[in-house]
Amino acid sequence: MTIQTAKLSDPAVRAFVAAVNAHDRDAFQALLAPGATMADDGSDRDLDEWTDREIFSTHGHMEVDNESQGGRVLLARYSNDTWGEMRTRWNFTVGDDGRISRFETGQA
């Protein structure tokens, strides 16, 4: 069963999902700490290039099915125009300032 975005536990992760689903690049960028990093399927990627290719230019969308670790680990159905829908896992590192310093995703 899908968890509504507004019901996600962690405020930074909630805002991340909302920004992805709204295709709001400015809101997404505002959530990231300076020097934020990310990985896809265990490999570090260039964050700006990856988010443009996998989220913003391909209409990325997340439907969260489960959250754990205080809302900083998600299981979601992620879809975009390139890959269609896939089951994914998302892990977030959120700093004391409430901004995301790292996220890791990959197929679940």
Side-chain angles (χ1 to χ4, degrees), residues 38 40 46-55 103 105:
M38 65 85 53
D40 184 7
D46 178 280
L47 190 143
D48 291 331
E49 178 197 307
W50 188 91
T51 57
D52 182 59
R53 182 182 70 246
E54 299 293 339
I55 297 174
F103 68 90
T105 187

Side-chain angles (χ1 to χ4, degrees), residues 90-105:
W90 299 74
N91 299 308
F92 296 88
T93 303
V94 180
D96 292 338
D97 63 356
R99 295 171 79 187
I100 297 168
S101 60
R102 181 169 177 83
F103 68 90
E104 299 177 8
T105 187

Side-chain angles (χ1 to χ4, degrees), residues 3-106:
I3 301 171
Q4 294 176 358
T5 302
K7 305 264 186 202
L8 294 172
S9 300
D10 187 273
V13 174
R14 181 182 330 121
F16 179 99
V17 174
V20 167
N21 289 349
H23 311 291
D24 187 338
R25 190 184 305 258
D26 291 336
F28 182 89
Q29 291 293 327
L31 297 168
L32 301 176
T37 61
M38 65 85 53
D40 184 7
D41 283 328
S43 297
D44 281 1
R45 307 287 185 188
D46 178 280
L47 190 143
D48 291 331
E49 178 197 307
W50 188 91
T51 57
D52 182 59
R53 182 182 70 246
E54 299 293 339
I55 297 174
F56 296 109
S57 68
T58 58
H59 307 102
H61 189 82
M62 299 174 74
E63 292 290 333
V64 178
D65 292 325
N66 192 354
E67 66 173 358
S68 59
Q69 297 184 23
R72 293 191 176 169
V73 174
L74 305 179
L75 286 177
R77 285 170 284 125
Y78 184 77
S79 61
N80 68 23
D81 293 343
T82 302
W83 305 107
E85 184 177 292
M86 65 191 88
R87 188 163 169 81
T88 56
R89 179 178 175 97
W90 299 74
N91 299 308
F92 296 88
T93 303
V94 180
D96 292 338
D97 63 356
R99 295 171 79 187
I100 297 168
S101 60
R102 181 169 177 83
F103 68 90
E104 299 177 8
T105 187

